[in-house]
Amino acid sequence: MKTIIEPFRIKSVEPIRMTTQAERTAKLRAAHYNLFGLHADDVIIDLLTDSGTGAMSAEQWAAVMRGDESYAGSPSFARFTAAVQNLMPFKHIIPTHQGRAAEAILMSLFGGAGRNIPSNTHFDTTRGNIEASGAFAHDLNIAEGRDGQSEHPFKGNMDLEALSAFMDRHADTVPVVMITITNNAGGGQPVSLANIRAVAEIAHAHGKPFIIDGCRFAENAWFIKQREAGQADRSIPDIVRDCFAVADGMTMSAKKDAFGNIGGWLALNDDDHAEAARVRLIQTEGFPTYGGLAGRDLDALAQGLSEIVDEDYLRYRTRTHAYIVERLDAMGVPVVKPAGGHAVFIDAKRWLPQIDPLHYPAHAVACRLYEIAGIRSCEIGSVMFGRQPDGTEKPAAMELVRLAFPRRTYTQSHADYVVEACGVLQSEIDTITGFRITKEPKAMRHFTSQFAPV
Ligand SMILES: *Cc1c(COP(=O)(O)O)cnc(C)c1O
């Protein structure tokens, strides 16, 4: 059979509250045109993020009941650790309540004033934690990764020449080399196994630890299996193990590729670093056998890790985005190609060339998609990245609208609805206008800024 179906049946449902366009226009204004300010029950299709929004399986809910809430030495922690180490062979597994808590602890070890931390592209919370420590975050993604039209199979790759030059120039101030798989901020694009290995080699040649931000490791492994020479006949767990075998540690948001509604971890091989991390963990998250989590969460994640590497799931998962990208492309909506692992990215700079980047074209698209169809998406452009550490503002490299799909949550008819909404927006594209920010916090402004139409 050629048709790729959702490889699950629905056992429990959550009704969607339908709204009118007039209602949504009023709600958006009341939220000062920030989609993070909306009530979720005023949203019809919520593609704000794939983080923690997925559906847990029947087996995960069963694991929740199995969860043991002992403060120290819970068997849930043992099951969680075994599930992580089955895929990522690190010595120390340190649970945290989210990925950013793992990043904060990592930066308490490696960050600091004047330090420089390269990656393919740091995610916004990673960048936030690096900058909060006084260090600088550097993005060294290959040029194809910033070109929405390039069909390069691994657009998340690190620019190896740029990294080598960077290390030669800054080695004294580089405490650690990082890479994000898949590259969330750059469009959910994968990193090849060869690139991961080459980055590890460069880091190690300079005596620096190599840390993977592994939030979407399973989607990344699926793309390696599909696209990288010699990988087609290998199992997803084997590919995952190879990716992490060359690293010295990882940060993880279990709200992504662990099918969790909450959770994360920091993994490290070095005993001294792990000890320092656990001290910090106890100060900020909790005892080392639960981190910031309940025992039931640890069990749900252990089960989720066994499900996320299922090939039928990964085929359906990536096909959803490829299907939407093909249809939008055929309609003339500029999209990042090829489709990413967890999301569809609309290129608002090309769709709305009349809007100045500092009037936030991607934000304008996201707001209008909500008004038209109740679809909530996320701006990844100058609102998210435009404010510089020195207080000035400059346009981001790309103005993207991210339609991130919660895992196992929406069906093909939901996908068709999204495509139709983009068609409506396409028909009125010349009338869309930009926004200005009327109020913003000191950092991470996209979450709480207020806007007004210009
Ligand atoms: C989500 C995410 C994080 C942060 O994880 P949280 O669990 O949201 O704190 C870090 N890096 C990447 C690539 C992510 O997608």
Side-chain angles (χ1 to χ4, degrees):
M1 290 294 295
K2 286 209 302 288
T3 307
I4 296 170
I5 60 169
E6 288 86 4
F8 48 81
R9 296 185 293 187
I10 295 166
K11 190 162 184 148
S12 180
V13 298
E14 198 178 2
I16 294 173
R17 191 177 83 80
M18 303 306 279
T19 49
T20 64
Q21 182 156 341
E23 221 178 307
R24 293 189 293 266
T25 298
K27 300 280 183 195
L28 187 61
R29 190 179 309 125
H32 302 282
Y33 299 94
N34 188 328
L35 297 170
F36 284 96
L38 292 170
H39 290 261
D41 46 11
D42 295 327
V43 174
I44 293 177
I45 307 276
D46 204 345
L47 307 180
L48 182 67
T49 174
D50 63 324
S51 180
T53 49
M56 291 216 293
S57 67
E59 286 302 321
Q60 282 184 286
W61 285 111
V64 164
M65 277 312 299
R66 203 156 44 237
D68 178 285
E69 305 303 339
S70 301
Y71 189 91
S74 164
S76 297
F77 176 68
R79 288 188 284 268
F80 165 78
T81 304
V84 174
Q85 287 176 329
N86 177 46
L87 293 169
M88 295 106 178
F90 295 113
K91 194 166 167 198
H92 303 280
I93 311 296
I94 299 167
T96 59
H97 80 282
Q98 285 196 212
R100 68 197 65 188
E103 293 166 354
I105 294 171
L106 187 74
M107 285 311 131
S108 77
L109 303 178
F110 294 108
R115 301 201 170 164
N116 291 294
I117 302 182
S119 182
N120 50 351
T121 310
H122 291 284
F123 186 62
D124 59 348
T125 58
T126 323
R127 176 174 289 277
N129 275 297
I130 290 171
E131 290 174 354
S133 82
F136 298 99
H138 299 269
D139 296 338
L140 303 177
N141 190 197
I142 57 170
E144 290 91 334
R146 292 185 300 273
D147 172 2
Q149 291 309 92
S150 162
E151 295 272 359
H152 191 291
F154 292 103
K155 291 169 77 170
N157 279 358
M158 185 89 82
D159 182 334
L160 298 172
E161 262 178 50
L163 179 64
S164 285
F166 186 89
M167 295 303 286
D168 290 341
R169 205 160 353 111
H170 297 291
D172 292 350
T173 59
V174 174
V176 62
V177 174
M178 296 186 73
I179 202 162
T180 314
I181 65 170
T182 57
N183 185 11
N184 183 359
Q189 298 292 330
V191 180
S192 72
L193 183 54
N195 192 259
I196 291 172
R197 286 175 168 153
V199 171
E201 238 171 73
I202 293 170
H204 293 153
H206 287 84
K208 309 295 180 183
F210 171 48
I211 305 288
I212 298 179
D213 175 343
C215 293
R216 294 179 184 78
F217 70 88
E219 289 162 9
N220 200 74
W222 173 258
F223 286 123
I224 287 174
K225 185 177 167 84
Q226 302 308 305
R227 298 178 185 173
E228 192 158 350
Q231 301 296 325
D233 297 328
R234 303 191 59 220
S235 76
I236 296 295
D238 278 348
I239 295 171
V240 171
R241 281 179 210 115
D242 279 1
C243 293
F244 291 96
V246 295
D248 302 287
M250 72 180 292
T251 56
M252 176 73 189
S253 171
K255 303 172 76 171
K256 322 290 170 50
D257 273 0
F259 281 133
N261 296 131
I262 196 73
W265 66 83
L266 170 65
L268 292 165
N269 281 335
D270 184 85
D271 294 339
D272 295 338
H273 285 145
E275 191 183 317
R278 287 197 177 104
V279 169
R280 188 84 190 151
L281 184 82
I282 292 171
Q283 288 165 344
T284 58
E285 292 281 290
F287 190 73
T289 60
Y290 71 86
L293 297 170
R296 66 180 77 100
D297 299 324
L298 294 169
D299 260 307
L301 298 179
Q303 176 61 29
L305 284 171
S306 75
E307 297 174 7
I308 201 82
V309 291
D310 177 68
E311 295 195 9
D312 293 328
Y313 159 73
L314 288 168
R315 182 178 297 109
Y316 138 80
R317 170 86 176 144
T318 50
R319 181 59 199 151
T320 302
H321 315 127
Y323 169 77
I324 295 171
V325 162
E326 281 164 21
R327 292 198 52 198
L328 294 184
D329 190 36
M331 280 162 33
V333 177
V335 279
V336 172
K337 293 191 286 184
H342 65 291
V344 171
F345 288 75
I346 295 172
D347 185 343
K349 208 191 268 185
R350 282 199 295 134
W351 209 11
L352 287 167
Q354 74 271 24
I355 299 184
D356 183 313
L358 292 180
H359 288 151
Y360 317 124
H363 183 76
V365 169
C367 285
R368 194 62 195 146
L369 272 181
Y370 174 71
E371 285 185 282
I372 291 170
I375 296 165
R376 177 154 69 168
S377 55
C378 182
E379 192 260 18
I380 297 196
S382 294
V383 176
M384 190 180 274
F385 296 122
R387 181 63 67 205
Q388 304 303 304
D390 66 3
T392 60
E393 190 180 28
K394 80 172 196 230
M398 297 191 278
E399 303 295 338
L400 300 176
V401 182
R402 186 184 71 177
L403 304 166
F405 283 75
R407 292 168 180 74
R408 304 189 292 206
T409 302
Y410 292 114
T411 65
Q412 176 160 2
S413 82
H414 295 120
D416 289 332
Y417 179 88
V418 171
V419 170
E420 183 184 340
C422 291
V424 174
L425 210 164
Q426 170 86 320
S427 71
E428 56 172 48
I429 199 73
D430 295 333
T431 68
I432 308 293
T433 53
F435 283 84
R436 66 193 167 81
I437 292 178
T438 54
K439 187 163 182 248
E440 70 177 283
K442 277 201 169 65
M444 314 232 82
R445 66 177 181 174
H446 53 289
F447 289 121
T448 55
S449 283
Q450 300 184 354
F451 299 83
V454 290

